[in-house]
Amino acid sequence: MSSTASGKNGTWRNWGGTVAARPAREVAPASVEELAAAIRRAAEDGLKVKAVGSGHSFTSIAATDGVLIRPQLLTGIRHIDREAGTVTAEAGTPLKRLNVALAREGLSLANMGDIMEQTVSGATSTGTHGTGRDSASIAAQIKALELVTADGSVLTCSEKENPEVFAAARIGLGALGVVTAITFAVEPIFLLTAREEPMPFARVLAEFDELWTENEHFEFYWFPHTGSTNTKRNNRSAGPEKPVGQLAGWFEDELLSNGVFQVAQWVGRAVPATIPAIAQVSSKALSARTYTDIPYKVFTSPRRVRFVEMEYAVPREAVVETLRELKAMVERSGLRVSFPVEVRTAPADDITLSTASGRDSAYIAVHMVKGTPFQRYFTSAERIFTAHEGRPHWGKIHTRDAEYFAGVYPRFEEFTALRDRLDPDRLFQNDYLRRVLGA
């Protein structure tokens, strides 16, 4: 797994370079039985256990000085049930492999995030999502899952079997056990037409409700220091397929979105005063385009510029006000922000600690290039997000703790009670979980 973040001399590092850990030992189990044995052995040796995916979380959610479980041998599709419309994948399967394999079988997930480097269990356990009016996060598409709990036993759960575990474990933060397989709802493959076009920030905010109502998947990027955005609307299409041409795709996705963008980031890091001018140019570099393709080719795009990120879910009705406050803060602060702000939505779901649990949500993500100081920007943004009862993405930078979460998640205690039952000795504990779930 080339995307798995790692390091030299036994140090594990994440993709964004924000976390390093030195586990006592690393295990790459080739079966559920081997994994269960590794968990039992860790408990006997008095070591904590954490499973890692591809290291795409910016928080230390997967860090441990105990036993680090690597997923690369627990990959592949176990079973496709066309009648039930489900696919069961091993936990370590990268989303990219899942998407390609499904497409080959004429199937697709209903919705997905904007990158596909993560493993299926890493993506779902942290609540990874795309954007959607009616279709929700990747975890909300789970029909069943299998996990190994602290005593080494294998537990399966679904709406019918162990429903109280199912309610929580779909976004389990690695706190309830190690996920070994996930069954997703899938459907016959379909086409999406993407319409990308620049639009003034003021217009997007004024028409946000219409843009959200009229499109199955609406998202936009706002370029700080400008009044410009780039909007993207994805809707199901009868076809025909009209993919982005290879040359145009290379020019727009690789050269502009990754190559020129990387150079702009380097210049911005060297001379921060140039950032507003660069932002003006960047915001106008991307022109309107329309293309039609299978879902994963429309939903996802390569991200080669490494960054750090904070993302909060606010109630959907609060998104316009929150964005106005964010823009005013950037203008007032003298900050130089070279990375666009990403805005997406999700419908309410029924997962205990989902950022969209029980409420229609809008996501606002702020980014900084890896290696640039991000604290002042993120702290100021977080103050705005939390004033709107925002819920931070579990895998992205935030400073919230259990006390805060108990206030913004009505079912928080339901999750911690289940954790007490499944992991009474805190075998899966680490510093991050101690902070966000309490000791």
Side-chain angles (χ1 to χ4, degrees), residues 34 83 103 109 135 164 167 218 267 277 291 298 300 313 316 320 349 390 398-399 402 423 435:
E34 274 183 33
E83 219 159 282
L109 292 168
S135 57
E164 74 297 343
F218 172 66
V267 174
Y291 51 96
V298 173
T300 68
R316 202 187 67 239
V320 170
D349 64 42
H398 67 88
T399 65
D423 186 14
R435 186 184 107 206

Side-chain angles (χ1 to χ4, degrees), residues 217-237:
H217 308 275
F218 172 66
E219 65 187 300
F220 70 94
Y221 293 87
W222 164 57
F223 297 83
H225 312 296
T226 77
S228 311
T229 76
N230 200 41
T231 61
K232 185 173 178 181
R233 291 171 257 195
N234 301 329
N235 289 288
R236 293 198 184 208
S237 159

Side-chain angles (χ1 to χ4, degrees), residues 302-422:
R303 292 271 189 278
R304 308 209 198 285
V305 179
R306 299 217 172 195
F307 53 83
V308 287
E309 179 178 359
M310 167 183 280
E311 180 185 64
Y312 266 76
V314 296
R316 202 187 67 239
E317 61 274 13
V319 66
V320 170
E321 177 55 30
T322 308
L323 285 164
R324 283 203 180 103
E325 291 169 19
L326 188 67
K327 186 170 191 283
M329 179 275 289
V330 170
E331 284 164 5
R332 202 174 51 231
S333 66
L335 285 164
R336 293 283 175 256
V337 181
S338 61
F339 224 100
V341 172
E342 183 181 25
V343 182
R344 296 174 289 173
T345 68
D349 64 42
D350 63 349
I351 304 170
T352 321
L353 290 188
S354 163
T355 43
S357 185
R359 73 182 191 196
D360 290 343
S361 300
Y363 294 93
I364 303 174
V366 296
H367 312 71
M368 279 291 218
V369 172
K370 179 183 169 180
T372 47
F374 59 83
Q375 280 80 0
R376 193 157 76 90
Y377 177 36
F378 283 16
T379 301
S380 304
E382 191 171 41
R383 204 170 291 139
I384 293 167
F385 300 149
T386 53
H388 292 282
E389 297 197 343
R391 297 168 177 171
H393 188 301
W394 296 107
K396 295 174 187 175
I397 290 170
H398 67 88
T399 65
R400 303 296 90 192
D401 60 15
E403 191 185 351
Y404 178 83
F405 292 123
V408 295
Y409 284 101
R411 297 166 64 190
F412 187 74
E413 282 173 12
E414 190 184 311
F415 188 96
T416 54
L418 180 67
R419 181 187 182 215
D420 288 341
R421 196 184 99 202
L422 293 180

Side-chain angles (χ1 to χ4, degrees), residues 74-89:
L74 289 173
T75 60
I77 289 181
R78 265 193 206 178
H79 181 59
I80 291 176
D81 184 336
R82 289 180 182 276
E83 219 159 282
T86 61
V87 59
T88 302

Side-chain angles (χ1 to χ4, degrees), residues 51-129:
V52 293
S54 58
H56 255 272
S57 289
F58 299 97
T59 59
S60 53
I61 191 165
T64 187
D65 55 8
V67 177
L68 190 75
I69 310 273
R70 286 200 177 266
Q72 53 264 49
L73 301 179
L74 289 173
T75 60
I77 289 181
R78 265 193 206 178
H79 181 59
I80 291 176
D81 184 336
R82 289 180 182 276
E83 219 159 282
T86 61
V87 59
T88 302
E90 304 277 342
T93 310
L95 284 169
K96 190 174 212 157
R97 259 182 72 182
L98 176 69
N99 286 328
V100 170
L102 285 174
R104 211 178 287 136
E105 297 286 340
L107 299 167
S108 176
L109 292 168
N111 198 356
M112 56 198 84
D114 56 8
I115 53 172
M116 50 179 180
E117 307 308 315
Q118 312 101 310
T119 60
V120 293
S121 62
T124 54
S125 295
T126 54
T128 298
H129 60 90

Side-chain angles (χ1 to χ4, degrees), residues 39-218:
I39 287 174
R40 282 194 290 267
R41 199 183 137 212
E44 283 161 23
D45 295 345
L47 293 170
K48 304 289 186 194
V49 178
K50 287 310 322 162
V52 293
S54 58
H56 255 272
S57 289
F58 299 97
T59 59
S60 53
I61 191 165
T64 187
D65 55 8
V67 177
L68 190 75
I69 310 273
R70 286 200 177 266
Q72 53 264 49
L73 301 179
L74 289 173
T75 60
I77 289 181
R78 265 193 206 178
H79 181 59
I80 291 176
D81 184 336
R82 289 180 182 276
E83 219 159 282
T86 61
V87 59
T88 302
E90 304 277 342
T93 310
L95 284 169
K96 190 174 212 157
R97 259 182 72 182
L98 176 69
N99 286 328
V100 170
L102 285 174
R104 211 178 287 136
E105 297 286 340
L107 299 167
S108 176
L109 292 168
N111 198 356
M112 56 198 84
D114 56 8
I115 53 172
M116 50 179 180
E117 307 308 315
Q118 312 101 310
T119 60
V120 293
S121 62
T124 54
S125 295
T126 54
T128 298
H129 60 90
T131 190
R133 181 188 60 201
D134 315 303
S135 57
S137 73
I138 307 178
Q141 298 169 65
I142 296 177
K143 287 294 177 200
L145 56 80
E146 173 187 273
L147 73 161
V148 178
T149 56
D151 60 4
S153 57
V154 182
L155 182 76
T156 53
C157 60
S158 64
E159 278 177 0
K160 293 188 176 65
E161 191 181 5
N162 297 307
E164 74 297 343
V165 178
F166 184 66
R170 284 172 285 169
I171 299 181
L173 317 185
L176 306 174
V178 177
V179 175
T180 46
I182 301 176
T183 301
F184 293 101
V186 289
E187 55 182 295
I189 203 161
F190 52 94
L191 292 174
L192 283 172
T193 292
R195 191 169 144 207
E196 297 176 10
E197 64 172 322
M199 199 180 281
F201 184 73
R203 185 182 151 198
V204 174
L205 295 197
E207 297 175 15
F208 185 84
D209 285 345
E210 287 152 66
L211 288 161
W212 174 80
T213 307
E214 288 165 11
N215 296 284
E216 290 170 69
H217 308 275
F218 172 66

Side-chain angles (χ1 to χ4, degrees), residues 261-304:
F261 190 55
Q262 176 74 75
V263 173
Q265 299 301 327
W266 286 332
V267 174
R269 261 178 81 173
V271 194
T274 59
I275 287 172
I278 293 171
Q280 292 289 352
V281 175
S282 301
S283 69
K284 294 182 171 53
L286 297 167
S287 49
R289 64 174 182 172
T290 302
Y291 51 96
T292 301
D293 214 329
I294 59 174
Y296 84 83
K297 293 186 177 177
V298 173
F299 285 129
T300 68
S301 48
R303 292 271 189 278
R304 308 209 198 285

